[in-house]
Amino acid sequence: MKTYRLSSAGRRKTLVLLGAALLIWAFALWSFASTLRISYNPFRFWPTLQESLAQGLGVGQVVPALLMLVLIVATPLLIWALLAEWALAYTPTDDGLRVESLGLRLECPWASVRAVHDSDADRDEPWAEVLLTGEPAVRTAHPLMRFLYRQAWGPGRLPLAPDLEERDELIATIRRSSAMAPPPAGTAAAPA
């Protein structure tokens, strides 16, 4: 069984994106604290927050603080998605497609693969995704990992990044194997 991973160029690009996301997160943390005039010191956080609220906050403080709060919450999700992409490993098996990343293991039987959807021609890089008839079997003991998987990839689909090594070979293998798989029980086979 051959395993497909990100190419070295894809890993470099992911590292650059991770660095940028970390800088954005650090800026959001700093900007949030300076806008509201609060301290992140555990012993000073609540007193400085109460003092800032007691003085009153204007629109010039509330709007930037809310924007920075959104970045503070959303950027770690982006960082997790980039780390998950960094560690992605696709392995076609006799039974289906196995996808592993960061302690997460997805099992997608060939019968559950509806199609491989290619991206629009307008994109700079080709993007494809495997469309599934249902949720893949997620093998992880941690509920947070299942939540993060759904946040990063969405239900019923698996992305195939443009920077995978031998990506076209993987797509051809998925299409060939899923076409030979019997349809799920209770459904009629699609006409050829």
Side-chain angles (χ1 to χ4, degrees):
M1 292 184 291
K2 184 173 182 177
T3 299
Y4 299 86
R5 297 181 187 278
L6 273 184
S7 65
S8 58
R11 288 179 181 268
R12 283 191 300 274
K13 188 186 301 181
T14 303
L15 275 179
V16 169
L17 291 172
L18 274 170
L22 287 170
L23 286 174
I24 289 170
W25 195 52
F27 172 75
L29 285 169
W30 171 79
S31 183
F32 184 76
S34 66
T35 300
L36 295 180
R37 296 180 309 275
I38 60 173
S39 170
Y40 286 128
N41 179 333
F43 300 111
R44 300 266 311 131
F45 180 78
W46 287 112
T48 56
L49 180 62
Q50 289 172 341
E51 182 181 319
S52 181
L53 292 175
Q55 291 176 358
L57 299 175
V59 174
Q61 290 175 296
V62 173
V63 172
L66 287 175
L67 177 62
M68 292 306 121
L69 184 61
V70 168
L71 286 174
I72 289 169
V73 172
T75 305
L77 295 174
L78 170 66
I79 290 170
W80 185 89
L82 289 169
L83 289 172
E85 184 177 329
W86 171 277
L88 266 176
Y90 298 90
T91 308
T93 65
D94 293 337
D95 300 327
L97 183 63
R98 180 184 318 135
V99 182
E100 296 174 297
S101 180
L102 299 179
L104 184 69
R105 185 173 179 170
L106 307 175
E107 299 285 344
C108 306
W110 292 124
S112 72
V113 175
R114 245 185 330 141
V116 177
H117 179 260
D118 291 324
S119 67
D120 299 328
D122 298 343
R123 287 189 148 184
D124 293 337
E125 297 175 331
W127 189 267
E129 61 186 2
V130 178
L131 302 177
L132 305 168
T133 56
E135 287 287 320
V138 180
R139 301 201 194 289
T140 182
H142 207 286
L144 178 63
M145 292 297 283
R146 286 191 293 276
F147 168 77
L148 290 173
Y149 152 71
R150 287 189 185 96
Q151 289 298 313
W153 297 335
R157 61 187 201 89
L158 289 171
L160 298 174
D163 297 318
L164 284 174
E165 286 183 342
E166 302 177 34
R167 180 178 169 273
D168 294 333
E169 179 183 315
L170 173 62
I171 291 173
T173 302
I174 293 169
R175 284 185 172 144
R176 183 177 55 252
S177 298
S178 63
M180 294 187 311
T187 61

